[in-house]
């Protein structure tokens, strides 16, 4: 069944492109992730399907975190569909960490070069565990936050990398209450194998009135092997084994931690400013 779905994925992706091109919604980068249940690993065909579906959100560069390694695609391989034509993704049996993060970038800040392609590995503070992370959104007050947290930021730097650097340096998620802009994040800490942290923000928008609005989408699907993440609900609907299984949305302004058969809210983030 999955094999047939792979053959149909490009057609579905093209249909979704047309849908979004005629919509007024905000497109942005695509996020895909997987956190395994104990002793399990991802179905990599599902990861490919999700990534291709999410490629409608960004083709300026792409990147994959798998086997504790980062792989990046830029230039002719900036589109994840082209990257998969040249590179096979597979698990290394010797690597016990089965978590996966994939990113399809739509550039807003910083050039479309390998150094700016997500996911990023950050270890600004050597006393804290390193972090791998990918971000969908735009942060507008990096300069102000740079002064507060003493993390360098200059015009043209990648705001996503800056945000993750603050999180790693401080070993906290406090900055997620303070940024101006939009964010959905998938993160993995090097001292927590087989664990994914997920976040999507919601904040006040003013369009003839004040409402709290989701900044960027992020959905999850719970399968027998673990939890899949996607910026696009459509991809999760395609890969789910049981059509009765619900695709869920990440609760806004909540750090969600998925590890060892457990999904729980680690921290509530106050974005009422």
């Amino acid at each position: 069944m999955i094999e047939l779905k792979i053959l149909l994925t490009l057609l579905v992706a093209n249909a979704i492109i047309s849908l979004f091109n005629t919509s007024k919604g905000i497109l942005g980068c695509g996020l895909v992730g997987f956190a395994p249940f104990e002793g399990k690993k991802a179905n990599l065909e599902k990861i490919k399907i999700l990534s291709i579906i999410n490629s409608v959100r960004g083709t300026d560069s792409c990147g994959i975190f798998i086997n504790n390694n980062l792989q990046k695609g830029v230039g002719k391989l900036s589109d994840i569909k082209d990257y998969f034509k040249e590179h096979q993704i597979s698990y290394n049996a010797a690597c016990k960490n089965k978590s996966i993060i994939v990113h399809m970038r739509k550039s807003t800040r910083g050039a479309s070069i390998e150094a700016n392609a997500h996911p990023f590995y950050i270890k600004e503070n050597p006393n804290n565990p390193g972090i791998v992370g990918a971000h969908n959104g735009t942060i507008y007050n990096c300069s102000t936050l740079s002064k507060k947290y003493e993390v360098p930021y200059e015009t043209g730097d990648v705001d996503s990398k800056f945000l993750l650097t603050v999180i790693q340096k401080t070993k906290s998620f406090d900055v997620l209450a303070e940024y101006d802009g939009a964010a959905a994040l998938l993160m993995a800490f090097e001292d927590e194998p087989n664990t994914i942290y997920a976040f999507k923000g919601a904040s006040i928008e003013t369009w003839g009135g004040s409402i709290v609005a989701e900044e960027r989408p992020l959905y999850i699907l719970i399968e027998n092997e673990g939890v899949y993440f996607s910026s696009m609900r459509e991809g999760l609907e395609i890969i789910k084994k049981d059509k009765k299984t619900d695709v869920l949305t990440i609760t806004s302004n909540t750090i969600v931690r998925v590890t060892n058969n457990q999904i729980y809210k680690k921290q509530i983030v106050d974005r009422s400013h």
Side-chain angles (χ1 to χ4, degrees), residues 17 21 71 135 149:
I17 290 173
N21 282 344
Q71 306 172 19
H135 167 237
Y149 288 103

Side-chain angles (χ1 to χ4, degrees), residues 128-159:
N128 293 338
I131 184 175
V132 172
H135 167 237
N136 173 23
T138 303
I139 309 302
Y140 297 112
N141 61 333
C142 292
S143 295
T144 300
L145 295 172
S146 172
K147 295 175 183 177
K148 176 176 180 177
Y149 288 103
E150 298 182 345
V151 172
Y153 179 81
E154 296 181 4
T155 301
D157 288 349
V158 179
D159 51 354

Side-chain angles (χ1 to χ4, degrees), residues 174-185:
D174 291 350
V175 70
L176 297 181
E178 301 172 323
Y179 70 80
D180 292 333
L185 291 156

